[in-house]
Amino acid sequence: MLVLDNVHTYYGHIHALKGVSLRVEQGEIVTLIGSNGAGKTTTLNTISGLFAPRTGTITLEGKTIAHTPAHEVAKLGVSQAPEGRKIFARLTVQENLEMGAFYRTDSDEIKADYERVLELFPRLQERLKQPGGTLSGGEQQMLAIGRALMSRPRILLLDEPSMGLAPILVQIIFEIIYNINQQGTTILLVEQNAHAALELANRGYVLQTGKIVLSDTAAELRKNPMVQRVYLGID
């Protein structure tokens, strides 16, 4: 479904991604793990069209999207729940969800997706008229994912969904991510919680200083000595 081939992305003169290559097959959950500053968010933002790679290719179902504007990438079926949630704090929960479908015109299908999101996130149902900025961290994360789902994505990019959440909420969020995938949405998951990410994913990539240094099934990555030592805290 999604292929990055030898992607190089820069922030000005800073070489952030140094030949990143990865693939995500339809129906998979693929995780990208790495430490702070490794380039995980930059990878997602490059896929989303927020950054354009200087060299390399990005294809979505065979269509080149490497230099496609972000709003056009969204229309092609790529949706991102960004790091830090970035919800619209002054808008209500309902308005935030409606913003996720801003370019869609299929009102009946929008309504169906809205109901689906509220089924996935019952807490949001209880807070529809509440400003997004007054929600707890976990509720804001639910809202960010729900807003992304309102575009009916073919592939969902999740950037650190467990960041700052209590362990019980992390478990709830990851169960919901699994359910979203089981309903047919392909997922590329960026996550520092390598334990949770590798338990959930089919395959994974390890990113260090802008380069992919390991790729394998999630089960094999959990057994890898370097992954165990650096990311899983196993000596």
Side-chain angles (χ1 to χ4, degrees):
M1 177 175 278
L2 177 72
V3 179
L4 278 68
D5 184 19
N6 197 28
V7 169
H8 292 257
T9 299
Y10 288 74
Y11 290 109
H13 297 296
I14 298 172
H15 196 174
L17 299 184
K18 304 169 184 175
V20 168
S21 296
L22 61 82
R23 62 182 175 85
V24 183
E25 303 290 351
Q26 186 170 348
E28 282 190 309
I29 300 177
V30 173
T31 188
L32 184 62
I33 62 175
S35 58
N36 278 333
K40 304 186 301 297
T41 295
T42 302
T43 300
L44 295 192
N45 287 342
T46 302
I47 295 167
S48 293
L50 296 170
F51 301 130
R54 189 169 297 182
T55 59
T57 60
I58 305 172
T59 56
L60 177 69
E61 297 181 313
K63 178 182 175 64
T64 299
I65 62 168
H67 295 276
T68 303
H71 65 283
E72 295 294 339
V73 174
K75 289 180 180 179
L76 292 171
V78 179
S79 188
Q80 183 169 344
E83 181 182 10
R85 294 122 197 184
K86 294 184 173 61
I87 61 167
F88 300 103
R90 295 186 181 183
L91 299 186
T92 66
V93 167
Q94 181 176 339
E95 289 166 338
N96 268 275
L97 294 175
E98 290 169 350
M99 285 296 291
F102 76 98
Y103 68 84
R104 295 176 59 184
T105 57
D106 51 338
S107 56
D108 289 343
E109 296 301 317
I110 291 172
K111 183 179 179 181
D113 287 337
Y114 180 74
E115 291 171 354
R116 173 196 173 205
V117 167
L118 295 182
E119 285 177 9
L120 282 167
F121 302 105
R123 292 194 194 189
L124 299 184
Q125 173 81 65
E126 301 166 5
R127 291 161 171 75
L128 286 176
K129 301 304 181 184
Q130 192 171 323
T134 65
L135 300 181
S136 69
E139 291 164 348
Q140 288 189 16
Q141 186 61 65
M142 294 174 189
L143 182 55
I145 296 173
R147 182 183 59 186
L149 288 173
M150 285 299 297
S151 70
R152 188 172 280 191
R154 294 189 44 69
I155 183 165
L156 178 62
L157 311 181
L158 297 177
D159 195 352
E160 303 285 7
S162 75
M163 180 180 288
L165 301 185
I168 185 63
L169 281 175
V170 172
Q171 181 179 346
I172 291 170
I173 290 293
F174 274 82
E175 287 174 357
I176 291 169
I177 292 169
Y178 174 79
N179 289 336
I180 291 168
N181 175 252
Q182 290 297 297
Q183 292 178 12
T185 304
T186 303
I187 295 173
L188 177 57
L189 169 67
V190 157
E191 184 54 65
Q192 278 194 309
N193 185 337
H195 281 283
L198 291 174
E199 285 290 335
L200 184 68
N202 304 105
R203 294 187 300 107
Y205 294 85
V206 178
L207 189 66
Q208 291 183 349
T209 60
K211 297 179 181 179
I212 299 290
V213 295
L214 277 175
S215 66
D216 212 327
T217 65
E220 288 302 314
L221 286 175
R222 288 197 301 269
K223 300 175 187 175
N224 182 279
M226 187 273 280
V227 172
Q228 290 184 343
R229 183 179 69 256
V230 177
Y231 300 106
L232 301 180
I234 301 172
D235 292 327

